[in-house]
Amino acid sequence: MPAPRARIDRVRASAGIIQLALQQIEDELRGEIDARELAEILRELHHEDHRQDGVFGSLAQLLTAAARAAGRIEPDRDGEMSCPLHEAAALITDNAGLQTYYATRALDPQGDS
C-alpha cells in the first residue's frame, strides 16, 4: 500500500495537470470561434453517445471511485459518506452533461448526435 503522503503528492500533481489542460481549453475559447467549432469543442468534453468517455464522464467515474473508497473506510455508516459522492457523480452526468448537450445542439443542430 502506497504511503498516504506519496499518494496525496501524486493526486496533487495529477490535479495540477488537469487544471493546466482545462486552462489550455479555456484559452482556445478566447479566440475567434464560430458556433460549429464551439459545438465540436463541447462534444469533446461531453461525448453524447459514450458519456463515460468525456470529461464529465471521467469526473463522474472519479467521484464514484471516491464513493466506493468512502464505503470501504466506514462501511457501518450506512452511506453517510458515499451517498453525497454518488449524488455528485449523478449531477455531473445528468445535469451538467445534459445542459452541455442542449447547448451543443443549439449551436450546431446539424452536428453529430
Side-chain angles (χ1 to χ4, degrees):
M1 181 172 190
R5 189 77 221 145
R7 183 188 330 244
I8 297 295
D9 290 342
R10 285 192 307 276
V11 168
R12 186 173 289 124
S14 296
I17 292 167
I18 292 166
Q19 289 173 322
L20 287 173
L22 292 173
Q23 182 61 54
Q24 184 174 356
I25 294 168
E26 186 177 337
D27 291 346
E28 293 294 332
L29 294 172
R30 290 185 188 173
E32 294 281 327
I33 191 167
D34 65 16
R36 179 168 278 153
E37 188 178 12
L38 178 55
E40 194 60 34
I41 289 170
L42 291 172
R43 284 186 186 99
E44 290 301 316
L45 300 177
H46 172 69
H47 288 259
E48 296 158 12
D49 294 333
H50 304 284
R51 291 184 188 179
Q52 69 276 9
D53 293 340
V55 172
F56 294 130
S58 295
L59 185 54
Q61 286 177 353
L62 175 72
L63 291 172
T64 299
R68 285 193 299 266
R72 290 191 312 267
I73 291 170
E74 293 192 36
D76 58 337
R77 302 259 317 252
D78 196 26
E80 183 179 328
M81 294 168 26
S82 63
C83 283
L85 293 168
H86 282 297
E87 197 64 33
L91 286 172
I92 287 170
T93 54
D94 295 345
N95 290 2
L98 186 60
Q99 295 304 318
T100 302
Y101 169 77
Y102 290 150
T104 302
R105 299 304 297 163
L107 287 164
D108 184 19
Q110 304 303 316
D112 297 338
S113 59

